[in-house]
């Protein structure tokens, strides 16, 4: 099925809340996502940054390139710092605000997961965004639990490539019965924009998992960043979908509605996606087969859940 | 209104009267009854606060980074291991100049479990930038919370109220609970000097290069030193509203004393009995109770202790490799003074072991007749 990317008009004309002058690397996907996210969220947004690349390159005292309030915090605390800010805004009677965490995969999957799990279980009114570049890129490419199987990093060098599959953060978040869980990619900016708009309207815990290419860590040409992220979705390594809580008419009858929001314009084998990046250069054929099977399984599972949702709606 | 309440509940009342906006806490003995009472107060709508029931002490303190930055008056409480878990965030909150108030019910920490009184937990946080105030009675706790907010919000540094597990936290005493309208006159609503404002967005925290970091640290140090000037003002204001006064240190019969005993927390109450008894026997002994320990009121300590011929410090804490923390810091504060009497150190009451009047008298007697070296702590009551 062919798919055209329709750029919403607002994306082109709304006020820019992310200004130029950052020191991010060429081809880094995170600023592309931030720019679109802020257009959808508007200026009544507080951003909470744990330690991550973005925390470093968005400013450096006394500068900031974001035209919204920003709170920096210790690495493992971002979700609960946001919970505290949301509670204070609530008690002060500030309406129509969004408190958004913008954390890397380390700050989400690893060191940040305890505070994140706590905030999710309490259904605190925050939006937690993980821009996942699949390793500790800020400290120089070390493996995290978001690093895919077979990837080279400085702590999984040749001869000791990562042998474990990537942690399934999406399932972990869904197990907390949260209000909204979505994946998104700046390779599909219209979808990304719509998801942040949707998250803005929902009260309670929202989680958006962004794929975020890192040319330095993925060993790719910066010019290929968006193309390779698109291949991640085309190969179903990173399917783009959302799960929305539907509050039941009767207590205890809440349901979660699945929708696959991007059906890629073409399908590519997982091996093409892996071959496009230097970090997977050393992986074995066995690993490629395993990743292909995981991707197929996840896709089948998503189709099944989406169809079940559709049946339930009929 | 006078009421017989437990020390922990005196803290809860102080928090209620301070009209706190965000409370965040995690259960740990012996702190728990503070936040249980606060939960009840919230449920009864006596406090209009958001209470975040977090999954750890680390998150309790971290949530207050967000809440205080976004303009709320904030509170948490902890003890022992819980306080140690907060350590990173204590540095952060002081460095971020957030006027958080916390109660720490002093509880022992070590490689084995113990839930009873010892001050090593709070003393291990002495380099974080938090102002530390040690309390002896339930009235002092309630009043201490009110004064802590006033002080914290004037100098923009967090304040820790520390007091002994069980001896104070779970002991019932008569406390004068002030009327809310008097407290409101003493403690105006919290207005942060730098607001989180959507129309004038600011960045809080962030990356400080070598060009700025040192100067930033110096401003934190200056704010802490400024607390020594501001605290007496707060005391005067408090006294004017409530008729009770709490100085940087509390002294008793020190003016003509040869020997001055120095204590902090609940051991002070026991020591009063001993000082009275020894005075009646003609011994020139006095008592200095430590109240503010960070920042150190150096001039104040020198003035009180300088005329004594010996100073005896009882430490319910242990800095392994050093000995008693209070003794070491008092020695250091007196060193550059013209008058610096020898400072003798006794370690007592670790892990909640009772320190009776007989123990205090025994310590003072031993320091007098056994002629110990000031360099070696007296490990009082140690079973050999």
């Amino acid at each position: 099925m062919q798919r055209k990317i329709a750029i919403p008009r607002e994306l082109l004309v709304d006020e820019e809340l992310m200004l130029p002058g950052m020191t991010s690397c060429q081809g880094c996907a995170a600023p592309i996502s931030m720019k679109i996210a802020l257009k959808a969220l508007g200026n009544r947004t507080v951003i909470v940054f744990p330690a991550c690349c973005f925390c470093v390159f968005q400013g450096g005292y006394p500068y900031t390139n974001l035209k919204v309030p920003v709170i920096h915090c210790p690495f493992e605390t971002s979700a609960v710092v946001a919970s505290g800010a949301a509670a204070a805004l609530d008690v002060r009677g500030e309406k129509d605000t969004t408190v958004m965490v913008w954390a890397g995969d380390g700050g989400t999957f690893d060191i940040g997961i305890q505070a994140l799990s706590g905030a999710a279980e309490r259904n605190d009114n925050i939006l937690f965004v993980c821009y996942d570049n699949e390793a500790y890129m800020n400290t120089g490419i070390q493996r995290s639990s978001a690093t895919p199987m077979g990837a080279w990093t400085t702590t999984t060098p040749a001869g000791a490539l990562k042998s474990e599959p990537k942690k399934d953060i999406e399932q972990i978040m869904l197990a907390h019965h949260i209000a909204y869980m979505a994946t998104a990619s700046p390779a599909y900016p219209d979808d990304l924009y719509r998801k942040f708009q949707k998250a803005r309207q929902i009260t309670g815990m929202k989680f958006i998992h962004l794929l975020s290419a890192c040319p330095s860590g993925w060993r790719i040409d910066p010019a290929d960043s968006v193309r390779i992220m698109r291949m991640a979705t085309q190969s179903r390594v990173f399917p783009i979908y959302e799960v929305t809580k539907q509050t039941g008419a009767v207590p205890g009858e809440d349901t979660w509605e699945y929708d696959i929001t991007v059906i890629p314009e073409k399908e590519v084998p997982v091996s093409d996606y892996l071959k496009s990046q230097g970090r997977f250069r050393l992986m074995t054929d066995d690993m490629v087969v395993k990743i292909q099977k995981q991707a197929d399984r996840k896709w089948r599972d998503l189709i099944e859940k989406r169809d079940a949702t559709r049946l339930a709606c009929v | 209104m006078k009421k017989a309440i437990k020390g922990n509940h005196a803290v809860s009342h102080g928090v209620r009267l301070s009209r706190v906006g965000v409370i965040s806490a995690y259960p740990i003995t012996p702190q728990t009854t503070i936040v249980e009472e606060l939960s009840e107060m919230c449920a009864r709508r006596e406090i209009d606060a958001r209470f975040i029931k977090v999954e750890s002490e680390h998150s309790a303190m971290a949530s207050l980074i967000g809440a205080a930055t976004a303009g709320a008056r904030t509170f948490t409480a902890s003890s022992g291991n819980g306080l140690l878990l907060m350590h990173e965030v204590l540095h952060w909150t002081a460095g971020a100049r957030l006027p958080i108030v916390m109660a720490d019910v002093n509880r022992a920490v070590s490689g084995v479990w113990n839930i009873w009184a010892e001050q090593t937990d709070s003393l291990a946080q002495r380099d974080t930038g938090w102002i530390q105030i040690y309390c002896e009675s339930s009235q002092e706790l309630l009043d201490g919370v009110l004064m802590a907010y006033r002080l914290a919000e004037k100098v923009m540094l967090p304040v820790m109220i520390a007091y002994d597990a069980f001896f104070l936290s779970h002991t019932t005493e008569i406390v004068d609970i002030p009327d809310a309208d008097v407290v409101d006159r003493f403690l105006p609503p919290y207005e942060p000097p730098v607001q989180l404002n959507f129309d004038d967005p600011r960045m809080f925290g962030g990356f400080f290069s070598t060009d700025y970091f040192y100067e930033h640290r110096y401003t934190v140090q200056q704010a802490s030193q400024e607390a020594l000037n501001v605290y007496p003002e707060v005391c005067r204001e408090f006294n004017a509203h409530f008729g009770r006064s709490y100085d940087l240190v509390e002294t008793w019969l020190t003016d003509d004393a040869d020997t001055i005993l120095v204590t902090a927390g609940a051991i002070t109450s026991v020591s009063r009995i001993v000082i009275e008894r020894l005075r009646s026997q003609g011994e020139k002994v006095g008592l200095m109770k430590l109240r503010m320990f960070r920042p150190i009121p150096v001039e104040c300590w020198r003035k009180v202790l300088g005329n004594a011929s010996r100073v005896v410090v009882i430490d319910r804490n242990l800095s392994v490799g050093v000995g008693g923390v209070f003794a070491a810091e008092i020695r250091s504060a007196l060193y550059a003074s013209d008058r610096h009497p020898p400072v003798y150190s006794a370690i007592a009451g670790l892990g909640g072991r009772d320190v009776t009047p007989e123990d205090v008298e025994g310590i003072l007697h031993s320091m007098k007749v056994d002629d110990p070296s000031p360099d070696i702590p007296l490990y009082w009551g140690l079973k050999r």
Side-chain angles (χ1 to χ4, degrees), chain A residues 44-66:
Chain A
R44 290 179 65 77
T45 302
V46 180
I47 305 178
V48 175
F49 285 117
C52 61
C53 289
F54 222 109
C55 134
V56 180
F57 64 58
Q58 71 92 200
Y61 179 84
Y63 303 108
T64 173
N65 79 317
L66 297 167

Side-chain angles (χ1 to χ4, degrees), chain A residues 121-177:
Chain A
E121 183 272 332
R122 291 188 304 272
N123 197 29
D124 288 341
N125 188 24
I126 64 170
L127 166 59
F128 192 106
V129 179
C130 171
Y131 69 103
D132 179 5
N133 52 30
E134 305 194 311
Y136 289 91
M137 299 310 188
N138 196 26
T139 44
I141 322 169
Q142 293 82 31
R143 68 91 87 180
S144 76
S145 62
T147 302
M149 179 192 292
W152 165 92
T153 68
T154 58
T155 52
T156 51
L161 296 178
K162 188 172 187 260
S163 54
E164 307 80 17
K166 182 183 175 93
K167 188 189 276 185
D168 193 342
I169 195 73
E170 295 152 22
Q171 287 298 316
I172 291 171
M173 294 315 296
L174 287 171
H176 288 77
H177 323 294

Side-chain angles (χ1 to χ4, degrees), chain B residues 204-224:
Chain B
F204 297 87
F207 203 83
F208 277 50
S209 70
T210 47
D211 282 342
Y212 298 104
F213 186 80
Y214 183 13
E215 285 69 25
H216 159 68
R217 291 295 286 161
Y218 184 66
T219 62
V220 182
Q221 166 72 0
Q222 276 183 310
S224 181

Side-chain angles (χ1 to χ4, degrees), chain A residues 43-46 58 60-63 67-70 72-74 76-77 80-81 84-85 88 90 92 97 114-115 122, chain B residues 22 48 50 52-56 58-59 62-63 65-67 70 72 88 92 197-198 201-208 212:
Chain A
N43 75 332
R44 290 179 65 77
T45 302
V46 180
Q58 71 92 200
Y61 179 84
Y63 303 108
K67 284 173 74 180
V68 293
V70 168
H72 289 273
C73 68
E76 66 280 43
T77 65
V80 77
V81 170
D90 184 40
R92 282 176 49 190
T97 62
Q114 177 175 325
R122 291 188 304 272
Chain B
V22 176
D48 180 25
R50 303 294 174 272
I52 310 175
K53 283 130 196 184
V54 285
E55 83 302 328
S56 72
H58 196 278
S59 282
S63 67
I65 296 175
E88 177 201 19
W92 192 284
N197 183 344
F198 296 102
R202 305 288 185 102
M203 179 175 76
F204 297 87
F207 203 83
F208 277 50
Y212 298 104

Side-chain angles (χ1 to χ4, degrees), chain A residues 7-18 31-47 66 68 96-100 102 127 129 180 184 188-202 206 208 210:
Chain A
I7 304 292
R9 201 178 152 271
E10 296 83 347
L11 214 51
L12 304 172
V13 297
D14 268 4
E15 187 195 3
E16 288 292 352
L17 294 170
M18 193 188 85
I32 311 173
S33 298
M34 176 66 89
K35 191 178 163 84
I36 301 167
L38 282 178
K39 292 220 170 197
L41 295 174
N43 75 332
R44 290 179 65 77
T45 302
V46 180
I47 305 178
L66 297 167
V68 293
D96 305 318
T97 62
T98 305
V99 181
M100 172 172 74
W102 192 269
L127 166 59
V129 179
Y180 183 62
Y188 300 92
D190 52 340
D191 177 80
L192 193 151
Y193 177 80
R194 194 189 59 76
K195 282 175 174 158
F196 277 84
Q197 262 197 330
K198 182 169 176 177
R200 179 186 176 176
Q201 308 299 327
I202 297 171
K206 287 86 61 181
I208 297 182
L210 296 177

Side-chain angles (χ1 to χ4, degrees), chain B residues 82-302:
Chain B
L83 184 69
L84 300 197
L85 184 58
M86 290 178 177
H87 181 72
E88 177 201 19
V89 199
L90 298 184
H91 278 280
W92 192 284
T93 44
R97 306 290 299 277
L98 299 172
I100 298 162
V101 171
M102 160 165 63
D104 174 52
V105 187
N106 286 123
R107 163 179 159 163
V109 284
S110 186
V112 297
W113 285 115
N114 178 291
I115 60 170
W116 293 282
E118 192 182 308
Q119 294 152 334
T120 308
D121 60 347
S122 56
L123 291 172
Q125 317 308 323
R126 63 194 191 274
D127 297 338
T128 58
W130 276 65
I131 293 169
Q132 291 199 352
I133 293 176
Y134 288 80
C135 292
E136 178 194 355
S137 74
S138 297
Q139 187 70 58
E140 195 177 358
L141 286 175
L142 191 155
D143 295 349
V145 171
L146 306 181
M147 291 169 62
Y149 280 110
R150 192 79 181 120
L151 175 65
E153 291 165 12
K154 278 183 177 231
V155 298
M156 292 305 284
L157 278 180
V159 178
M160 182 188 303
I161 303 284
Y163 58 102
D164 309 59
F166 299 106
F167 293 118
L168 190 46
S169 66
H170 286 62
T171 299
T172 301
E173 292 185 300
I174 292 173
V175 176
D176 188 354
I177 303 172
D179 290 337
D181 56 331
V182 187
V183 177
D184 289 345
R185 285 200 291 276
F186 168 72
L187 185 65
Y190 171 47
E191 281 298 329
V194 183
Q195 305 267 352
L196 188 150
N197 183 344
F198 296 102
D199 300 321
D200 178 21
R202 305 288 185 102
M203 179 175 76
F204 297 87
F207 203 83
F208 277 50
S209 70
T210 47
D211 282 342
Y212 298 104
F213 186 80
Y214 183 13
E215 285 69 25
H216 159 68
R217 291 295 286 161
Y218 184 66
T219 62
V220 182
Q221 166 72 0
Q222 276 183 310
S224 181
Q225 291 301 304
E226 182 58 17
L228 292 173
N229 300 323
V230 172
Y231 182 81
E233 279 171 33
V234 172
C235 282
R236 275 193 295 279
E237 286 172 26
F238 189 86
N239 194 21
H241 284 88
F242 304 98
R244 290 184 291 272
S245 190
Y246 302 95
D247 293 333
L248 290 164
V249 295
E250 189 180 317
T251 57
W252 193 47
L253 305 172
T254 49
D255 286 350
D256 65 338
D258 288 333
T259 299
I260 297 179
L261 179 65
V262 180
T263 57
I267 289 179
T268 312
S269 302
V270 177
S271 301
R272 289 177 198 279
I273 302 169
V274 178
I275 298 299
E276 204 163 49
R277 195 187 289 165
L278 294 178
R279 275 277 173 177
S280 71
Q281 293 165 13
E283 291 204 40
K284 285 194 168 178
V285 290
L287 181 68
M288 181 175 100
K289 171 172 116 179
L290 299 175
R291 185 172 279 119
M292 185 179 280
F293 180 64
R294 277 293 184 275
I296 294 183
V298 173
E299 288 310 318
C300 195
W301 288 3
R302 286 180 179 173

